[in-house]
Amino acid sequence: MSEQRADLLDEIRRDGAFDVLVVGGGINGIGVYRELALQGLRVLLVERNDFSSGCSAAPSRMIHGGLRYLENGEFALVRESLRERDALLANAPHMVRPLPTTIPIRSVFSGLLNGAAGFMKWSEKPAQRGALAVKLGLALYDWTTRRRRVLPAHAFRSARATFAKWPDLDPALRFSATYYDAWISYPERLCIELICDTRRLAPQSTALNYVELRPEGEGFALHDRLSGETFAVKPRALVNAAGAWLDRAAAELDPARPKSEPMVEGTKGSHLILDNPRLYQALGGHMIFFENADGRVCIMFPYLGRVLVGATDIRVKQPGRVRCEPEEAAYILEAARAAFPAIPLSLDDVVYSYSGIRPLPKSGHAFTGRISRGHFIQRIEGRVPQFCMVGGKWTTFRAFAEDTADAVLAELGAERRQSTLDLAIGGGAGFPAEPRHLETQLVAAFGLTGERARHLVDRYGSQAGDVAAFCAERADDVPVEPHAQTTLAEIVYLARREFVVHAADIVFRRTALAVRGDISRRGVEAIASTLGAELNWGPDRIAAEIQAVTNDLSTYHGVSRDRLERRSKPGMNDEDQCQGPHEPHVHEWELSGRRA
């Protein structure tokens, strides 16, 4: 156990009384934990697994205003989403970056009545969006941000201009349109930064992963899954931020409450990460936002030197851990081939896959794309009032958390002390407009290579110097993988500062080693051994941690044990000699239009 975790448990052992107990350590739970703690309340955030290990680790990695929500008439949601998108661009510029987004268009008039068709119940499935429908939507999108625009307005292109820029796109296109949204590089890391910020600014509050909460007596019992110890905790109010597990958590937190109608229903979204250099270059730094034949909107964009492609939208009846099934991978690849028919794509290009369950509000819509991505709060009466966070999406986490916090503050008779709308997050505080200046400083101060300095700035923003200083006191020349910039000294830093309990926390969430397809069997072993030395693990625990990571990669992320072994061979990545860039040759904030 880390010293950090031991100290947090000791605080609860000494005093288990809290103003608010937040259940669920995804982005919504972390957001409301921060909101409430910064208002001076003593707050405890508990998560059964690791922070940001559920749906919050499986988004499309877009930070967007929700262009297609206009078709559903959700104008308030679009306004809120655009405001929150712009706030994240300002507050977390080290991770949230502009993304030029291009829509291929095949017709002129189609789709003009999509909104009316949905409202009048003529058809759930929207018709293909033509040039006029797209133009109308983008005009409304631009109009919403007309008084505080931080990104360029949209532009239309003829077929000739489109193919001049993207010669490999579907030759049946008649137009294209480009507008701007944003993307997030490391959503799981941003969650950790929010927790660390809260701990620094509001040390009276605590966040714990790998713990379970159970009703007991007049309060609750908190069970540490690592040590087996149980702590008595007594909150004045509960916030249920369990996402897709919200209904189950509500019943567990108050077993005496009569059974009620479900508040949420899930849809499964799966994504693929491709190592296809030709497709990466063909995108030209843009996201292609296109429609599949079934009316589902699909995306592909440059992501950390790879290409992210998605997504599916499949109803699920029960929450649980999910994976991208073979038929989903085939669906996503077929959609990508339709957009770029001249570029060969195959399952061999897939270096990683991931899935999550979107916790959407209960809906009667047959077409999942019609289900609202909005959010609301459901208060449940009980021995301790419970505030359930229903719905929501990554982009609007802060607004949803603010609304929930205000409801809890009113319940407890407390007042709001500050807004978080303009509050910088983690390494976004003081992040320079020109990141290369910070890289140059790191090279001069610590004797780093340019690639290592770029890696640290990309991961940690303005806090890169703290990481570099920590690593400089150790042997910082041993990379986890030969072709990656993450070092074993960096793993020690993460273990001490960022709530690490298992090797999987490092492989999947504190680093990008898994999602980029960089991790090998050798790398997993190096991480587990390093953590073992730091956290006092014995040989059996180290072996179990290695086994757990390899099982997760094989079962849930499409990386077989055989593939993991092949990656351990010198100069090899998956089946073939690696052809694509392991690290982008230019900053992806340049590719994504920061200087547009």
Side-chain angles (χ1 to χ4, degrees), residues 35-368:
E35 287 286 334
L36 289 166
L38 294 183
Q39 312 317 319
L41 299 182
R42 187 169 188 241
V43 187
L44 174 62
L45 169 67
V46 297
E47 165 58 43
R48 181 172 293 179
N49 297 300
D50 190 23
F51 299 123
S52 187
S53 59
C55 182
S56 296
S60 293
R61 284 159 164 77
M62 296 165 57
I63 300 296
H64 65 106
L67 175 64
R68 67 185 182 87
Y69 306 154
L70 292 172
E71 201 168 69
N72 294 344
E74 297 182 282
F75 301 109
L77 177 59
V78 172
R79 283 194 299 270
E80 179 183 74
S81 299
L82 288 169
R83 182 194 68 201
E84 296 300 316
R85 178 203 70 184
D86 293 349
L88 279 167
L89 282 165
N91 296 333
H94 60 314
M95 291 191 196
V96 180
R97 302 159 188 170
L99 180 62
T101 301
T102 294
I103 306 172
I105 303 171
R106 295 179 175 82
S107 65
V108 177
F109 299 104
S110 178
L112 280 172
L113 296 179
N114 278 342
F119 180 78
M120 299 297 293
K121 308 297 184 185
W122 298 333
S123 172
E124 281 279 280
K125 176 182 166 183
Q128 188 179 79
R129 289 87 172 172
L132 291 180
V134 171
K135 181 69 177 177
L136 177 60
L138 292 177
L140 285 171
Y141 212 58
D142 288 343
W143 183 83
T144 303
T145 57
R146 66 195 182 283
R147 293 175 183 165
R148 50 176 177 80
R149 179 168 294 133
V150 299
L151 295 175
H154 80 274
F156 254 74
R157 293 182 184 85
S158 65
R160 176 176 294 183
T162 298
F163 294 122
K165 187 168 179 63
W166 297 282
D168 293 317
L169 271 175
D170 177 9
L173 299 181
R174 299 179 64 182
F175 311 93
S176 68
T178 295
Y179 69 101
Y180 277 73
D181 262 325
W183 69 291
I184 181 169
S185 52
Y186 309 110
E188 304 93 339
R189 284 209 52 77
L190 192 70
C191 287
I192 296 298
E193 290 194 354
L194 287 164
I195 294 172
C196 291
D197 283 354
T198 303
R199 181 66 180 174
R200 175 176 53 84
L201 297 171
Q204 80 279 3
S205 293
T206 305
L208 275 173
N209 50 358
Y210 296 104
V211 291
E212 294 183 350
L213 190 70
R214 305 163 184 164
E216 186 174 276
E218 295 183 359
F220 296 87
L222 187 66
H223 175 74
D224 178 17
R225 296 181 62 189
L226 194 62
S227 68
E229 188 176 0
T230 298
F231 307 84
V233 292
K234 191 171 182 179
R236 299 165 60 200
L238 290 170
V239 173
N240 182 344
W245 288 262
L246 183 135
D247 290 299
R248 183 181 297 176
E252 291 175 354
L253 291 169
D254 191 358
R257 185 174 69 91
K259 188 175 181 180
S260 60
E261 286 295 313
M263 292 176 278
V264 300
E265 64 178 355
T267 70
K268 176 187 175 187
S270 294
H271 300 77
L272 304 178
I273 304 295
L274 309 182
D275 184 4
N276 185 304
R278 183 175 171 186
L279 181 60
Y280 181 89
Q281 295 298 327
L283 291 170
H286 283 231
M287 179 170 81
I288 302 300
F289 184 79
F290 61 101
E291 293 177 81
N292 205 1
D294 61 359
R296 171 71 186 158
V297 172
C298 298
I299 61 167
M300 65 174 77
F301 67 93
Y303 178 73
L304 306 181
R306 306 289 189 245
V307 177
L308 187 155
V309 190
T312 56
D313 198 11
I314 303 168
R315 287 184 187 272
V316 292
K317 294 182 178 180
Q318 295 293 331
R321 194 165 181 192
V322 292
R323 64 183 182 182
C324 179
E325 300 294 345
E327 59 271 22
E328 293 177 88
Y331 170 91
I332 294 170
L333 284 175
E334 189 61 32
R337 292 188 192 103
F340 284 94
I343 298 178
L345 298 174
S346 74
L347 285 172
D348 290 343
D349 297 327
V350 180
V351 296
Y352 190 78
S353 63
Y354 64 90
S355 296
I357 299 177
R358 307 176 185 94
L360 306 180
K362 181 71 175 175
S363 169
H365 284 296
F367 182 67
T368 54

Side-chain angles (χ1 to χ4, degrees), residues 325-408:
E325 300 294 345
E327 59 271 22
E328 293 177 88
Y331 170 91
I332 294 170
L333 284 175
E334 189 61 32
R337 292 188 192 103
F340 284 94
I343 298 178
L345 298 174
S346 74
L347 285 172
D348 290 343
D349 297 327
V350 180
V351 296
Y352 190 78
S353 63
Y354 64 90
S355 296
I357 299 177
R358 307 176 185 94
L360 306 180
K362 181 71 175 175
S363 169
H365 284 296
F367 182 67
T368 54
R370 293 284 190 188
I371 302 175
S372 175
R373 267 53 174 177
H375 54 78
F376 64 90
I377 305 146
Q378 181 72 51
R379 184 187 184 280
I380 298 177
E381 194 66 62
R383 54 181 183 163
V384 177
Q386 182 181 159
F387 295 83
C388 297
M389 300 181 73
V390 182
K393 65 192 190 83
W394 237 101
T395 303
T396 56
F397 82 86
R398 193 212 62 85
F400 193 9
E402 183 178 67
D403 291 346
T404 307
D406 286 343
V408 175

